Amino acid sequence: MTTTLVDRYVYTALRRVPEQQRADIDRELRASIDDAVDARVEAGESREAAIETTLLELGDPDRLADSYAGRRNFLIGPELYGVWRRIMMMLFTTILPIVVVAVAVIELFADDVTVGSVIGAIVTSTIGVSVHMAFWTTGVFAVIERTGLGQAELKGKWSLADLPKYERGALSRLDFAGTLVWPVLAIAALVLQQFTFTDEPLLDPANWSFWWPALIVLTALKGVWALWVYRLGRWTRQVAIVNAVQSVATGALMVYLLATDKFFNPAFTGFGDADVDLRSWITVVVIAGVVLGSLYDSFDVARKAEQARKGLPARVPGTGNTYSIG
Amino acid sequence: MVLDMTTDATLASHLQELRRGTVVVASLTVLRTPGYGYSLLETLSEAGFEVEANTLYPLLRRLESQGLLTSAWNTDEARPRKFYTTTDQGNAVADALRTEWARLDDAIGDLSTETSTTPGSDK
């Protein structure tokens, strides 16, 4: 039994050692184990106990094999981790949204498009693209880590030019793009729901005579406002007032339509005939959302304008300090 | 000074950090006279180096592949053993490491006498 224990240990360790080194390590490891066991037996232990203690001291044979083979027991080491993290951040914050939006837009023009099919396309593409990006990037880095191929180029040397530049001004390019996306999506959804998604449009078609076009104009104005702020480069009182007027007008329009039951299409049957009146519940929730949303938006911009007027520099939470990074 | 469990663990990890690398110098020094794995393990632990078998054995092979040790199988006795010997290159490396060790020892000695005689001064 005791010989099989040593055999099993050595065999387990050798399995994970390169073949050309096995014979030598086999002989050396056995001799070392035997030496240690003999020493313990001489000191008065029983042979079995001596073998057990010796093997226990040598520890996990897989780790021993890693150590013999000079193998790294990590996928991506500290040298490459920073680069890997930066690439992953870029992939997930830039590439992923672009791909998902593209997939969603393509799906919108499919023949049998429904709300479900668009949401499905967004969810599956988000999951699929994420998994692929994470897997292949990490795989390539693991190969680089092991082969050392192109490591010098990847690591590079950090210089002051690599410090992030914090854009001065009210809206960074990314914020601006974000502010533009919402009006575009809202208008697209408003127009498309009339023709696609459901058999009967969700929103009352009667409003196309005036209210829906008005809403589209107000929403589009939000985009124009964003462009104005972006070009202006700072939050001003005018910016805040125009934004507040716009928000309140849009909100008031929607609340009026919702409250007077002119918002949803009476012919739309999607709310079903459940016991609870789903339609009025949704109406209440949407009213609350619209009111809170436009209030928050107005206050948020007003706060930024006020801060800019007072010339308050960037405050960094946790430090109690302000930094001039602009 | 109170040494609670946390400081014990902290101390242990710092000690390990400090000792890392001393095994290389010690092994290269001891193996100026040929020796095999288990004998070196015994010698080192008697000399006060806390080194584990599973660290030492792979280390010997690594030092051999770096050309700091050579090895030869001795089959004269009943149990064949692989004997390692420090090469000239290994001796040179060991010398350099010992010099550095002595320099660090001096430097740390200087630091502790300086700080004990002139506390708070920034000379």
Side-chain angles (χ1 to χ4, degrees):
Chain A
M1 183 238 147
T2 45
T3 25
T4 50
L5 206 58
V6 174
D7 272 349
R8 263 165 57 207
Y9 186 91
V10 174
Y11 175 77
T12 312
L14 287 180
R15 255 184 347 172
R16 301 192 55 220
V17 165
E19 218 168 304
Q20 64 273 20
Q21 295 179 27
R22 278 186 198 160
D24 201 52
I25 291 179
D26 181 25
R27 251 165 51 145
E28 192 184 7
L29 186 57
R30 276 177 197 281
S32 302
I33 292 174
D34 289 344
D35 280 337
V37 171
D38 284 354
R40 286 185 177 278
V41 170
E42 261 173 53
E45 277 184 50
S46 78
R47 185 154 285 273
E48 259 178 50
I51 288 177
E52 278 175 23
T53 336
T54 304
L55 294 185
L56 270 177
E57 272 184 7
L58 270 177
D60 186 346
D62 282 341
R63 291 198 60 172
L64 186 65
D66 282 343
S67 193
Y68 268 125
R71 207 179 292 126
R72 292 146 214 212
N73 45 6
F74 49 76
L75 197 61
I76 297 168
E79 295 276 292
L80 287 177
Y81 176 76
V83 187
W84 173 84
R85 208 181 65 111
R86 242 171 286 155
I87 291 189
M88 289 297 255
M89 285 284 279
M90 191 268 288
L91 287 176
F92 275 87
T93 53
T94 314
I95 307 293
L96 182 65
I98 292 175
V99 174
V100 170
V101 167
V103 168
V105 168
I106 291 169
E107 183 61 31
L108 280 180
F109 291 100
D111 291 337
D112 49 353
V113 63
T114 62
V115 181
S117 79
V118 175
I119 292 176
I122 288 175
V123 170
T124 40
S125 64
T126 304
I127 295 174
V129 172
S130 306
V131 170
H132 272 291
M133 288 193 314
F135 178 82
W136 294 109
T137 312
T138 309
V140 168
F141 268 86
V143 170
I144 292 173
E145 178 70 58
R146 265 142 199 82
T147 59
L149 221 69
Q151 264 206 33
E153 290 83 353
L154 258 182
K155 270 181 271 173
K157 201 168 151 44
W158 190 86
S159 76
L160 284 175
D162 295 330
L163 259 186
K165 289 182 192 65
Y166 297 94
E167 282 179 55
R168 235 185 141 70
L171 287 177
S172 72
R173 213 164 295 168
L174 201 69
D175 290 336
F176 175 54
T179 322
L180 275 192
V181 164
W182 287 115
V184 170
L185 283 183
I187 292 173
L190 184 57
V191 173
L192 285 171
Q193 61 83 35
Q194 174 68 30
F195 309 105
T196 54
F197 300 151
T198 45
D199 294 338
E200 284 292 335
L202 171 66
L203 305 180
D204 198 342
N207 291 337
W208 280 111
S209 56
F210 177 72
W211 292 113
W212 295 143
L215 193 59
I216 288 177
V217 169
L218 280 172
T219 315
L221 279 176
K222 180 81 181 179
V224 176
W225 170 85
L227 179 65
W228 175 41
V229 178
Y230 177 66
R231 297 284 294 275
L232 196 65
R234 60 183 189 278
W235 301 103
T236 61
R237 202 162 263 184
Q238 283 90 336
V239 164
I241 291 170
V242 170
N243 179 64
V245 169
Q246 222 161 51
S247 282
V248 169
T250 315
L253 189 158
M254 286 183 67
V255 169
Y256 162 72
L257 290 176
L258 283 158
T260 53
D261 226 6
K262 289 178 184 165
F263 192 77
F264 292 113
N265 186 1
F268 180 73
T269 52
F271 292 124
D273 39 12
D275 292 340
V276 283
D277 190 352
L278 197 56
R279 188 177 157 136
S280 16
W281 272 110
I282 290 181
T283 304
V284 171
V285 170
V286 175
I287 288 180
V290 167
V291 170
L292 288 179
S294 30
L295 282 181
Y296 172 77
D297 187 52
S298 311
F299 278 118
D300 189 44
V301 174
R303 185 182 56 81
K304 284 175 186 160
E306 193 59 13
Q307 236 170 27
R309 196 179 61 81
K310 287 182 188 153
L312 295 178
R315 196 176 286 279
V316 177
T319 64
N321 291 337
T322 50
Y323 294 77
S324 23
I325 51 179
Chain B
M1 216 206 312
V2 187
L3 279 175
D4 56 21
M5 286 235 304
T6 348
T7 37
D8 275 355
T10 314
L11 178 65
S13 85
H14 281 303
L15 282 177
Q16 197 189 7
E17 199 76 12
L18 197 60
R19 285 174 188 148
R20 189 170 293 159
T22 57
V23 177
V24 173
V25 197
S27 301
L28 291 175
T29 308
V30 172
L31 289 174
R32 283 182 290 195
T33 51
Y36 54 94
Y38 186 75
S39 72
L40 178 63
L41 192 68
E42 289 287 272
T43 313
L44 289 183
S45 71
E46 273 164 29
F49 288 92
E50 290 177 32
V51 54
E52 309 258 352
N54 54 19
T55 317
L56 184 67
Y57 298 158
L59 174 70
L60 290 176
R61 297 186 70 91
R62 195 150 60 245
L63 292 177
E64 187 190 0
S65 72
Q66 290 170 347
L68 307 183
L69 295 175
T70 53
S71 72
W73 279 93
N74 181 335
T75 49
D76 297 345
E77 287 177 55
R79 180 172 298 155
R81 291 192 179 105
K82 195 180 189 185
F83 276 76
Y84 292 93
T85 316
T86 308
T87 61
D88 290 343
Q89 196 195 342
N91 267 319
V93 168
D95 273 341
L97 290 175
R98 271 194 302 270
T99 311
E100 177 65 9
W101 180 264
R103 194 187 65 77
L104 287 173
D105 187 43
D106 283 350
I108 289 193
D110 287 351
L111 277 184
S112 53
T113 47
E114 259 175 42
T115 46
S116 64
T117 51
T118 55
S121 76
D122 53 310
K123 48 175 270 183

